[in-house]
Amino acid sequence: MDADDRFMWMALDLARQGRGRTSPNPMVGAVVVQGSEVVGSGYHQAAGSPHAEILALEKAGKKAEGATLYVNLEPCSHHGRTGPCTEAIIKAGINRVVAAMQDPNPLVSGKGFARLAEAGVKVKEGVLEDKAGQLNEAFIKYIVTGMPYISVKVAMSLDGKIGTPTGDSHWITGEKSRQFVHRLRDHSDAIVVGIETVLKDDPRLTARLEGGGGKDPVRVVVDSSARLPLESKVIETVSTAKTILAVTEQASKDKCRALKARGVEVLILPSREDRVDLHALMKNLADRKLVNVLVEGGGTINYSLLERSLVDKLFIFIAPIIIGGKESPTAFAGSGINSLSKAWSVEDVELKQFDRDMLVIGYPVKQDRGVS
């Protein structure tokens, strides 16, 4: 591994420390290197707080002069909630900037590199670019499409069941798997469930980390006709995160008023086949700058999202148990497909193990292979 790769890995590791705290900004880490010595480092900790480059330069002080700055994303060159990093880099006397990737934000894209080059700073880009892109995959989608990055989490048996015919689903997976899910929640801006999940499980939808310190995501319940019970845990559980109920015009106005009186935000959205239009819901969440959305719903909402090409990433936990039963709910319900040539392929698969449970992480891609 050459020096540029080694120091870029350090920048990426620093950037990850901001996971779940920087939205709608990206995760960014920066390292200042003088010769072969790290003289300053930092990472972006929250939207509106100093950028990684600024923190690293402040720590480096006068040692930044003639040094190399490593950063996993192109430094900004515009005035936002903070000043442009390019000007701070130039002022500090940095001789060379090594960046992993160009910023997809049109306000920055290419302009940061151009400003540095104009000032005589040597620029190298593309170091560990694929790793940097994966780290900020949610930010990239949000900036490019105006939609949130949507991950679906499922816990199922070996035979693909997420519960018994009577609705019992506590607990399919073990404690270590559930702790990982709480970390996923901590890293997410919003968590979405369908009303059937609430009626069956009455979840709190909070991030309960070992040792505390978790950040609760905004809790969103998809409930076309406002069936959410007033005594539900998503209403009664004390949290810094709000609860949003996504309904359609068919929802009872009296019930909606009662829910609002309990602190629930009622969001009236267009309908699609007598259900909440999920695309409209996700666009609304993006407009609220909720970039990372985690879905922990049942088979109906999972398949609806998949069918509409709204799922970016899958987290599928598989427990070594067999439930059986034709009436047992599955992870993806809906109408399904008629031909395997039309199936979704899960690509770039990563496997993790938590005690006896297996976690499959991957990206769904719709196939259309035709008939051979």
Side-chain angles (χ1 to χ4, degrees):
M1 181 186 298
D2 67 17
D4 285 349
D5 282 2
R6 182 161 56 91
F7 291 122
M8 188 59 72
W9 274 117
M10 291 179 62
L12 288 166
D13 287 341
L14 281 165
R16 287 188 188 93
Q17 294 185 43
R19 190 182 294 278
R21 305 297 186 271
T22 64
S23 288
N25 291 352
M27 290 174 276
V28 182
V31 178
V32 180
V33 178
Q34 183 66 262
S36 59
E37 179 190 1
V38 174
V39 295
S41 63
Y43 69 95
H44 185 45
Q45 298 177 22
S49 69
H51 288 188
E53 300 94 319
I54 304 301
L55 293 173
L57 291 170
E58 286 178 352
K59 288 183 181 178
K62 292 183 178 180
K63 291 182 180 180
E65 189 169 350
T68 298
L69 173 72
Y70 291 86
V71 62
N72 60 293
L73 191 67
E74 177 182 9
C76 65
S77 56
H78 67 293
H79 287 273
R81 294 169 71 175
T82 59
C85 291
T86 51
E87 301 312 307
I89 292 168
I90 294 165
K91 184 178 180 181
I94 290 289
N95 178 60
R96 178 172 177 256
V97 169
V98 179
M101 63 177 288
Q102 190 174 104
D103 193 326
N105 188 339
L107 293 172
V108 180
S109 191
K111 298 181 178 70
F113 292 146
R115 174 67 186 110
L116 292 171
E118 178 186 85
V121 179
K122 298 171 187 174
V123 175
K124 179 180 179 180
E125 58 178 298
V127 177
L128 301 183
E129 182 174 9
D130 57 336
K131 301 299 181 183
Q134 186 177 38
L135 176 67
N136 276 311
E137 57 194 2
F139 167 76
I140 292 169
K141 184 195 177 185
Y142 170 71
I143 286 295
V144 172
T145 69
M147 290 288 285
Y149 193 85
I150 303 166
S151 299
V152 169
K153 168 261 165 182
V154 168
M156 68 183 191
S157 62
L158 279 174
D159 55 337
K161 307 298 185 180
I162 60 173
T164 69
T166 61
D168 183 14
S169 60
H170 292 101
W171 295 97
I172 288 178
T173 54
E175 178 61 29
K176 287 189 178 179
S177 295
R178 296 198 294 275
Q179 274 301 313
F180 184 87
V181 172
H182 283 290
R183 289 200 297 275
L184 284 179
R185 291 179 180 181
D186 175 64
H187 296 160
S188 301
D189 301 319
I191 180 170
V192 176
V193 298
I195 183 59
E196 296 298 337
T197 295
V198 176
L199 295 176
K200 177 169 64 74
D201 297 336
D202 195 19
R204 285 175 280 180
L205 304 180
T206 53
R208 302 184 295 281
L209 302 183
E210 288 181 315
K215 173 186 67 67
D216 292 343
V218 172
R219 298 168 293 182
V220 183
V221 179
V222 182
D223 181 11
S224 301
S225 53
R227 291 186 289 153
L228 180 66
L230 295 176
E231 65 277 8
S232 298
K233 288 179 182 175
V234 291
I235 298 175
E236 294 192 333
T237 300
V238 176
S239 172
T240 55
K242 68 166 62 177
T243 297
I244 298 173
L245 190 71
V247 303
T248 65
E249 290 285 357
Q250 68 182 339
S252 162
K253 290 181 173 52
D254 287 342
K255 181 65 176 295
C256 288
R257 279 193 290 270
L259 288 163
K260 289 177 182 178
R262 295 296 307 276
V264 176
E265 178 183 343
V266 177
L267 176 63
I268 302 174
L269 292 168
S271 62
R272 180 184 171 95
E273 298 177 352
D274 296 324
R275 297 178 182 271
V276 169
D277 186 326
L278 294 175
H279 187 279
L281 170 61
M282 295 303 173
K283 183 64 174 70
N284 184 280
L285 297 182
D287 291 344
R288 296 167 184 255
K289 299 184 178 180
L290 300 173
V291 176
N292 282 283
V293 174
L294 178 65
V295 178
E296 291 191 42
T300 299
I301 192 170
N302 290 346
Y303 188 81
S304 296
L305 288 165
L306 194 65
E307 189 177 37
R308 298 207 63 192
S309 300
L310 289 171
V311 180
D312 296 296
K313 196 168 188 175
L314 294 168
F315 291 87
I316 299 181
F317 290 87
I318 304 171
I321 60 173
I322 295 173
I323 295 174
K326 290 188 293 184
E327 302 303 318
S328 298
T330 59
F332 295 89
S335 58
I337 56 171
N338 295 321
S339 168
L340 287 177
S341 65
K342 307 293 183 183
W344 284 267
S345 172
V346 180
E347 303 190 348
D348 296 327
V349 171
E350 178 185 357
L351 301 177
K352 293 180 180 289
Q353 189 157 358
F354 299 96
D355 288 338
R356 298 171 68 235
D357 302 331
M358 182 66 70
L359 170 60
V360 180
I361 304 172
Y363 303 83
V365 177
K366 190 73 166 74
Q367 301 297 292
D368 192 1
R369 300 190 299 270
V371 179
S372 60

